[in-house]
Amino acid sequence: MSLPDTTRRTILGTVATLAALPTVSRADISEPDAVSGGLGLQNVTLQVNGQQFRVTLEPRVSLLDVLRETIGLTGTKKGCDHGACGACTVHVDGRRIVSCLTLAARCKSKKIVTIEGLSNGGDLHPVQAAFLHHDGFQCGYCTPGQIMSAVALIQEGHASSADEIREWMSGNICRCGAYPNIVAAVQDASGNVTEGG
Amino acid sequence: MQNFSITSPSNLPAAAAAGQNSDTAFIAGGTDMMQLLKNNVITPSKLIDLEKLSLSEIKSENGVLRLGAMATMADVAAHPVVRQNWPAISRALLLSASPQVRNMGTMGGNLLQRTRCLYFRDTGFACNKRAPGSGCPAIPGDSRDLAILGTSPHCIATHPSDLPVALMALDAELELLTPEGTTRRMSLSKFYRLPGTTPHIESNLEAGQIITAVILADQAIGRLSTYLKVRDRTSFAFALVSAAVALDIEDGLIKNARVALGGVGTMPWRVHQVELALCGQKPSDRVFELATLRIGEGAQTTEMNAFKVKLAQRTVVRALQAISA
Ligand SMILES: Cc1cc2nc3c(=O)[nH]c(=O)nc-3n(C[C@H](O)[C@H](O)[C@H](O)COP(=O)(O)OP(=O)(O)OC[C@H]3O[C@@H](n4cnc5c(N)ncnc54)[C@H](O)[C@@H]3O)c2cc1C
Ligand code: FES
Ligand code: FES
């Protein structure tokens, strides 16, 4: 993936049209955050799936929008944009959260993991494999969020029964109604996933 | 969403001082704040991030429980001492929102969550809470989810949070820091305000004041407690009606009872008259049913939400049965 290296000057020049669209450049080192210009653009280094991304953003931009629109990781989905569907679930510092209600500017020095960061090289994460095996989806739109939630749920120790899985997966809505297969996949994977999985 | 700036003060006095300006707002977990910002319900020009203030500790010492204001809903719900000695608090939190939201939402933020009244959340409508004096379309409108207790002709919005219902039943106190740098305690029962003619003022928290902790001192009444929530779907929904109950039973008789309701009041609602009716009685279904008949007292219902009176009575009976069985 090659990303344009946009300077602050060009951002300030185009801010009317790019109002909510931050720009991104990769950086190996994290720079101190600088507030610049009247619109309060900030330089923030985000660590996503083990990689550092230096993004220039307005403080109001959600982590979800930065992941998708700026960094280009479109696996994380936007359903409701209000915390109510779980499609945007990612892990921040090891916990599942909804990225639509998270300000990207507050995520500096936190470890973010998205659906793209789960597989190990070509090997699917056991939860991903279980979703395939059990047909845990139809259209697939909710699936990245379901999988991120399921991985966390298993680590939390909330997969002891189908009922417990249903309750602790309740933050993830599936409009296709693939629930029975999702529960089966999570139940199956919970036997497979090793610590830190 | 309008743009804003964010600052992250690393000490409390700086945060409280910065929070005094009318165009600033504190942000904790951000789960309600982000919704309000996205919907332009509030438009602060500056957010003050409370994350770096070291307010997330959960501490239990000499029977006193101290929940830091920035402790997450998930961490408090899972804390062994909370589960053991104040089960109603743990239950109320576990029945709130979703696992993801509970990993983000905090004690302070949950206490100050704004109403879910659809008219308040949609700037296309008038709303006395959001735009004082503009009117209340909810009273003649869609009031099914709205309050029946503590209402006024200006507002019938329900307080939506589960946690403070349990905290109200268990006589919680809040620790506050004022912009002048002094710490003070306030009973939760004195924290919320009825809508009256000023529904936009929801609590007695003053500009710049930061909630630093929730304090629970009385462990005895907390032990035998629970929280029961009735909603339109099994999980991940706000309460239609909920009840926090606690009993202190000695020699087979109820020595002390606590009952608070959610989903029915303009603030988390303690029902002292039911508590009084329970005291001195031997726990039984009949005693519970008679005591809870008093729940409807003073209720102002609409055609759409009148069902909440009976539902609240039954919810409290069920919760009392659960802990006295
Ligand atoms: C989809 C969804 C479903 C939900 N369902 C439920 C539910 O069933 N039950 C329920 O109870 N809640 C529910 N919630 C609400 C959620 O629990 C609250 O949004 C959350 O508790 C708020 O906490 P926060 O830390 O994110 O607050 P924020 O959004 O950060 O802040 C909320 C308010 O509190 C103020 N504030 C925060 N901390 C302090 C402090 N220490 N001192 C002074 N002011 C402070 C902020 O300025 C702001 O005004 C739901 C939310 C979502 C998104
Ligand atoms: S898009 Fe974030 S929860 Fe629906
Ligand atoms: S698979 Fe279509 S929404 Fe879940």
Side-chain angles (χ1 to χ4, degrees):
Chain A
M1 187 172 45
S2 79
L3 294 157
D5 196 32
T6 313
T7 64
R8 200 168 91 194
R9 187 189 310 271
T10 54
I11 299 161
L12 291 174
T14 56
V15 85
T17 46
L18 289 175
L21 292 179
T23 57
V24 63
S25 63
R26 288 188 186 188
D28 297 318
I29 44 142
S30 63
E31 282 185 13
D33 304 308
V35 177
S36 60
L39 279 151
L41 293 169
Q42 286 189 321
N43 293 322
V44 176
T45 302
L46 294 178
Q47 193 195 316
V48 186
N49 302 330
Q51 241 185 318
Q52 309 261 16
F53 296 88
R54 210 185 91 215
V55 293
T56 304
L57 45 73
E58 290 181 356
R60 64 174 158 176
V61 178
S62 72
L63 176 60
L64 174 60
D65 284 345
V66 168
L67 289 171
R68 288 181 54 84
E69 311 295 337
T70 311
I71 298 181
L73 293 171
T74 54
T76 306
K77 301 300 184 217
K78 183 186 283 192
C80 64
D81 209 24
H82 277 72
C85 76
C88 67
T89 303
V90 301
H91 299 175
V92 173
D93 286 342
R95 290 181 157 216
R96 50 174 158 158
I97 56 104
V98 280
S99 58
C100 65
L101 297 185
T102 302
L103 289 172
R106 299 178 82 198
C107 290
K108 45 198 168 205
S109 62
K110 295 184 181 169
K111 279 166 76 174
I112 300 155
V113 178
T114 69
I115 188 74
E116 291 90 346
L118 275 192
S119 62
N120 186 359
D123 295 334
L124 291 181
H125 185 283
V127 175
Q128 291 176 305
F131 267 69
L132 279 178
H133 182 71
H134 289 273
D135 248 343
F137 46 82
Q138 288 173 42
C139 77
Y141 197 80
C142 71
T143 313
Q146 301 276 3
I147 290 176
M148 294 311 286
S149 226
V151 170
L153 171 154
I154 293 166
Q155 283 168 1
E156 292 158 10
H158 289 130
S160 70
S161 67
D163 273 351
E164 191 182 26
I165 292 170
R166 272 190 282 272
E167 171 58 27
W168 288 84
M169 285 295 288
S170 67
N172 293 80
I173 309 293
C174 174
R175 294 226 59 182
C176 298
Y179 297 111
N181 295 2
I182 292 171
V183 173
V186 179
Q187 223 168 358
D188 189 0
S190 66
N192 282 339
V193 174
T194 50
E195 273 222 331
Chain B
M1 198 195 306
Q2 287 193 11
N3 207 8
F4 45 77
S5 65
I6 310 183
T7 52
S8 306
S10 53
N11 66 76
L12 273 165
Q20 270 180 298
N21 292 331
S22 60
D23 62 344
T24 62
F26 295 125
I27 182 162
T31 55
D32 196 27
M33 183 52 79
M34 284 292 276
Q35 296 199 342
L36 297 167
L37 293 168
K38 285 183 190 212
N39 293 348
N40 290 313
V41 173
I42 54 170
T43 51
S45 60
K46 188 177 196 173
L47 293 187
I48 298 152
D49 189 344
L50 302 178
E51 193 168 342
K52 295 215 171 81
L53 300 178
S54 310
L55 291 176
S56 55
E57 194 184 24
I58 303 169
K59 205 166 75 181
S60 141
E61 228 170 49
N62 306 323
V64 177
L65 180 67
R66 190 175 192 282
L67 307 170
M70 290 292 287
T72 63
M73 298 164 78
D75 283 348
V76 174
H79 196 279
V81 174
V82 179
R83 290 173 53 170
Q84 172 94 35
N85 293 342
W86 286 275
I89 295 175
S90 178
R91 295 284 311 152
L93 288 168
L94 287 176
L95 296 173
S96 299
S98 67
Q100 292 97 313
V101 173
R102 296 197 295 270
N103 276 340
M104 305 169 73
T106 64
M107 297 296 97
N110 191 265
L111 295 181
L112 290 167
Q113 178 184 188
R114 308 296 303 274
T115 183
R116 311 307 294 197
C117 175
L118 295 173
Y119 301 100
F120 169 75
R121 299 253 165 186
D122 184 340
T123 57
F125 286 100
C127 169
N128 285 327
K129 209 184 244 318
R130 177 170 32 75
S134 63
C136 175
I139 295 173
D142 186 348
S143 57
R144 176 178 180 268
D145 293 345
L146 301 180
I148 59 172
L149 291 163
T151 60
S152 83
H154 305 276
C155 184
I156 59 168
T158 322
H159 194 282
S161 293
D162 293 293
L163 169 74
V165 179
L167 294 179
M168 198 72 106
L170 301 174
D171 277 340
E173 281 195 313
L174 302 182
E175 185 188 273
L176 309 175
L177 184 91
T178 69
E180 296 73 44
T182 50
T183 300
R184 52 180 294 225
R185 292 273 193 106
M186 187 189 280
S187 153
L188 186 64
S189 62
K190 302 251 160 65
F191 182 69
Y192 292 108
R193 290 175 50 142
L194 291 173
T197 55
T198 53
H200 57 291
I201 308 173
E202 296 173 353
S203 78
N204 289 315
L205 196 72
E206 286 158 28
Q209 287 188 345
I210 296 177
I211 302 175
T212 48
V214 176
I215 317 268
L216 286 131
D218 188 359
Q219 191 172 316
I221 193 74
R223 278 229 176 83
L224 196 60
S225 70
T226 195
Y227 188 79
L228 185 66
K229 180 171 174 181
V230 180
R231 30 191 176 173
D232 281 328
R233 56 184 187 194
T234 315
S235 185
F236 199 14
F238 286 95
L240 278 176
V241 167
S242 67
V245 299
L247 289 176
D248 185 359
I249 302 176
E250 216 175 83
D251 300 327
L253 296 180
I254 299 172
K255 196 174 125 202
N256 201 342
R258 303 287 177 75
V259 181
L261 299 169
V264 293
T266 51
M267 53 183 251
W269 203 262
R270 182 99 173 247
V271 267
H272 292 285
Q273 67 272 34
V274 176
E275 299 174 0
L276 281 175
L278 288 169
C279 280
Q281 307 285 327
K282 191 163 164 283
S284 74
D285 291 353
R286 180 92 191 117
V287 162
F288 296 159
E289 277 156 20
L290 282 177
T292 52
L293 283 180
R294 307 195 58 186
I295 280 176
E297 285 173 11
Q300 293 265 319
T301 59
T302 65
E303 207 175 311
M304 292 180 86
N305 66 22
F307 73 96
K308 286 188 173 186
V309 174
K310 193 153 262 174
L311 188 58
Q313 292 168 347
R314 290 175 178 168
T315 306
V316 174
V317 169
R318 178 86 70 86
L320 289 168
Q321 286 169 337
I323 55 170
S324 62

